[in-house]
Amino acid sequence: EHNMETMTKEELLKQMEEMLQHQTYMKEAIDAIEKIPYDLEEAQVRLRTEAIMQIVKEKEASNQALIALWKQMLAVDEKPELQ
């Protein structure tokens, strides 16, 4: 199985580029919240809104983890070689 810990630098860079290009999830979340009918009970609206915001939160956490891993990989590459 291929995960972030086993990715090459090139694969990680490609994944980051894709991540940056696919930032539409925020707009989609806002659009979904705007489409929640106004005639629903308050509890239903709250639950739907919270679910959408949780999806955005999880996506952003994944993005941050990917960036942190990328920084770690770059830091390893920048260390001087011991002779």
Side-chain angles (χ1 to χ4, degrees):
E1 183 168 304
H2 210 54
N3 57 43
M4 287 196 313
E5 287 80 17
T6 61
M7 293 175 110
T8 65
K9 194 183 332 181
E10 290 77 21
E11 291 169 326
L12 191 58
L13 221 75
K14 185 176 188 299
Q15 183 113 13
M16 286 192 69
E17 287 175 20
E18 289 175 10
M19 176 188 74
L20 293 172
Q21 291 174 2
H22 295 94
Q23 295 294 321
T24 58
Y25 65 93
M26 282 292 251
K27 182 181 179 332
E28 290 170 357
I30 292 167
D31 289 347
I33 291 170
E34 289 176 348
K35 291 178 184 174
I36 295 173
Y38 292 101
D39 58 351
L40 292 177
E41 291 180 25
E42 184 179 334
Q44 289 176 313
V45 172
R46 186 177 62 251
L47 287 174
R48 285 185 179 188
T49 303
E50 288 172 359
I52 293 166
M53 295 312 297
Q54 187 63 34
I55 292 168
V56 171
K57 187 177 177 181
E58 295 297 326
K59 173 69 173 157
E60 197 55 37
S62 296
N63 289 350
Q64 293 301 317
L66 185 62
I67 291 168
L69 180 61
W70 185 61
K71 285 181 180 180
Q72 288 176 354
M73 289 178 74
L74 288 178
V76 168
D77 282 349
E78 291 175 5
K79 290 182 182 174
E81 290 183 25
L82 299 175
Q83 295 186 14

